[in-house]
Amino acid sequence: DKTSMFPLIQRCCLNTPFKLQKLTGPSLLLCGKKKTTWSSLASWLRRDAHLLSTSLRLKPASVYTAKLQPFHTSLPTFKKKAPAESEAESQKRVESLKDSPKAALYLSLGGLIPFVAVPLAMVTQGTYCPELASAQIAYGAATASFLGGMRWGFALPENSPAKPDWLNLANSTVPPLLACQALLFKDVTQGAVMLMLALGIALHYDISLLPTYPRWFKVLRVVGTTVMVLSLLATVVLKAVFEEEQGDDRKIWQN
């Protein structure tokens, strides 16, 4: 009956909260689409009101507010490494160099004298000497071959961490081959560049690629290779500088 339905709809719409109206809204649209009767509409309204009241009794608003937890939205902070680590690392290197056997330390430092003596002699004389540069290249080639051959001696003992396999033995022949190629160049600059490449590859093998040597020897290898490469580079720079000066002097003399 329409007379009985209007008071029911008015009571449900006015006395129920806003959430009930949201819930019954889709039901009204749905019932309009399905062309249901007024009696079925009243039954749906009663059912929605009953379900809403029971859900509100079971889960009050305090429960929902308790579940709301604030979350942290600040940007993450990255801690910078303390400079004490680098200082400690450098101190370990110095200690490792001091812990090296005296014979190995003195012989390694003595073997660097021919490398350093060549550019110092050129600077002292004030001229480029091709004989000294060629002697430096030859000595560097012998040194690179020696460093490559040490891998065989390190891999052959039974208790060695390096195995005498293709990786260790074949890689140890790369520096001598590059050193031989450096001797074949007529230009000292090309030979020095090839020799620096051979020394760098030998250092890479000994430090990181293959089973490594003791720490004191690795530090000794880094120091020695750095001095050798810098000495060769100094010879190349002095060659370019002195040859340019000699060319300028010739032009002045000819004019």
Side-chain angles (χ1 to χ4, degrees):
D1 294 336
K2 296 181 179 180
T3 58
S4 61
M5 285 301 300
F6 283 115
L8 177 61
I9 294 173
Q10 185 177 5
R11 185 173 65 253
C12 293
C13 293
L14 294 176
N15 295 332
T16 55
F18 184 72
K19 291 185 178 180
L20 178 60
Q21 296 178 11
K22 287 185 177 181
L23 293 173
T24 56
S27 301
L28 290 173
L29 295 175
L30 184 61
C31 70
K33 290 181 180 179
K34 293 184 178 180
K35 296 181 181 180
T36 56
T37 60
W38 289 100
S39 59
S40 61
L41 177 61
S43 63
W44 283 339
L45 289 173
R46 294 191 188 96
R47 183 184 61 187
D48 292 340
H50 178 69
L51 292 175
L52 181 60
S53 62
T54 54
S55 62
L56 290 175
R57 287 196 301 269
L58 292 176
K59 296 180 179 180
S62 59
V63 177
Y64 292 101
T65 56
K67 289 183 178 180
L68 295 176
Q69 297 179 355
F71 54 93
H72 189 65
T73 58
S74 60
L75 295 175
T77 56
F78 300 95
K79 294 182 179 180
K80 296 182 179 181
K81 292 184 178 179
E85 294 183 1
S86 59
E87 294 178 359
E89 187 67 21
S90 60
Q91 186 176 2
K92 287 182 180 179
R93 291 183 179 180
V94 174
E95 291 177 356
S96 299
L97 190 61
K98 292 180 179 179
D99 293 337
S100 59
K102 300 300 181 182
L105 179 61
Y106 294 152
L107 289 174
S108 298
L109 296 178
L112 298 176
I113 294 176
F115 282 99
V116 180
V118 171
L120 287 179
M122 292 182 184
V123 171
T124 302
Q125 296 176 3
T127 182
Y128 170 71
C129 184
E131 291 78 9
L132 289 178
S134 299
Q136 186 187 33
I137 297 297
Y139 182 74
T143 304
S145 300
F146 170 75
L147 295 175
M150 283 195 307
R151 175 58 55 174
W152 280 63
F154 185 64
L156 291 180
E158 295 181 356
N159 298 327
S160 176
K163 297 180 181 180
D165 52 5
W166 285 98
L167 181 63
N168 283 287
L169 300 184
N171 284 330
S172 64
T173 60
V174 175
L177 291 176
L178 295 177
C180 180
Q181 182 64 34
L183 293 174
L184 297 178
F185 286 115
K186 293 182 179 180
D187 188 8
V188 174
T189 302
Q190 296 178 354
V193 171
M194 183 63 67
L195 191 56
M196 286 187 284
L197 179 62
L199 293 173
I201 291 175
L203 180 64
H204 174 64
Y205 287 164
D206 296 340
I207 297 301
S208 60
L209 182 60
L210 300 176
T212 55
Y213 297 108
R215 182 175 179 82
W216 62 266
F217 186 73
K218 290 191 293 183
V219 175
L220 199 60
R221 287 280 291 110
V222 171
V223 173
T225 303
T226 303
V227 174
M228 288 185 286
V229 171
L230 291 179
S231 300
L232 291 170
L233 187 61
T235 301
V236 172
V237 172
L238 291 174
K239 176 178 180 294
V241 171
F242 288 138
E243 285 182 350
E244 185 178 359
E245 291 180 356
Q246 291 176 2
D248 294 338
D249 293 340
R250 290 176 183 176
K251 289 180 181 179
I252 295 173
W253 182 75
Q254 290 176 0
N255 292 332

